Amino acid sequence: MDMPRDRSETAAAAGITPGSQSTSSKRLAVIVAVAIVAIIGSALYSWKMMSGTGEERFNKGKAAMEAHDEATAEREWLAGAKEQPDYLLNFVELGSLYLGQRRFPEALKAYRTAAQLAPDNGQILYHLSFAELKQRNFPQAEAAGIRAAQILPNDPEVQGALGMMEAKLD
């Protein structure tokens, strides 16, 4: 048996033709490129989630509040709300902070967003009704209060607030 003289004869003996080698190389290049893109995409997603998730910002805001630093807490919760707009707790805490600061328009905005994210949360609806009331949005306040009372029929605070609200609206 004669030995092949060069690489082209070796390739031909293996059944690899010049056209098939090019196609195989292209397929391999595409597979490698897709794998690299997937790895980079996964790494970027992980980095983004680690660098500032809604929960992480929520926790930093809570720590700031424990240190009586409302400005830092607000910045953290606002950043968390922006970075992960479906993370409910940042909006709840912002609403609570703003109510305490008597910043009723901001409280209302935060609680409306929270209520959109959790429409069956009686506590959020209770606080939303209070924020609506402070902005003199009486029909919205009453609707949120009634819904909160339906969800939390045994909560004396919610039931009492609804009774007082209804008395004021009459």
Side-chain angles (χ1 to χ4, degrees):
M1 181 167 167
D2 292 331
M3 295 296 290
R5 293 186 193 151
D6 62 24
R7 281 185 260 176
S8 62
E9 288 181 4
T10 303
I16 301 172
T17 63
S20 69
Q21 187 176 12
S22 174
T23 303
S24 295
S25 295
K26 288 178 185 175
R27 285 185 187 144
L28 180 60
V30 168
I31 291 169
V32 169
V34 168
I36 289 171
V37 168
I39 290 168
I40 291 171
S42 177
L44 287 173
Y45 177 78
S46 296
W47 175 78
K48 178 174 175 34
M49 294 310 289
M50 295 296 287
S51 67
T53 64
E55 183 177 6
E56 180 181 311
R57 296 293 193 163
F58 167 76
N59 290 330
K60 287 180 179 180
K62 291 294 276 187
M65 283 300 289
E66 288 174 12
H68 306 288
D69 185 354
E70 290 183 354
T72 298
E74 180 182 13
R75 277 194 305 276
E76 290 296 335
W77 292 328
L78 285 170
K82 183 177 180 183
E83 291 168 3
Q84 192 176 352
D86 62 343
Y87 191 76
L88 173 69
L89 296 179
N90 287 310
F91 295 103
V92 172
E93 292 301 325
L94 283 167
S96 178
L97 174 68
Y98 294 146
L99 279 180
Q101 294 175 340
R102 303 185 62 78
R103 293 167 57 188
F104 300 123
E106 291 98 330
L108 180 58
K109 182 178 178 186
Y111 280 126
R112 281 182 177 169
T113 302
Q116 287 176 348
L117 292 171
D120 294 324
N121 185 307
Q123 285 296 317
I124 291 172
L125 292 169
Y126 166 68
H127 292 291
L128 173 62
S129 70
F130 186 75
E132 294 280 10
L133 188 62
K134 287 296 188 179
Q135 287 300 107
R136 306 185 63 76
N137 300 331
F138 300 123
Q140 295 90 334
E142 184 176 30
I146 289 170
R147 182 71 180 124
Q150 290 170 342
I151 294 169
L152 302 170
N154 299 320
D155 187 316
E157 185 180 14
V158 172
Q159 296 299 323
L162 180 61
M164 289 187 335
M165 187 184 316
E166 289 175 337
K168 285 184 181 182
L169 295 177
D170 286 340

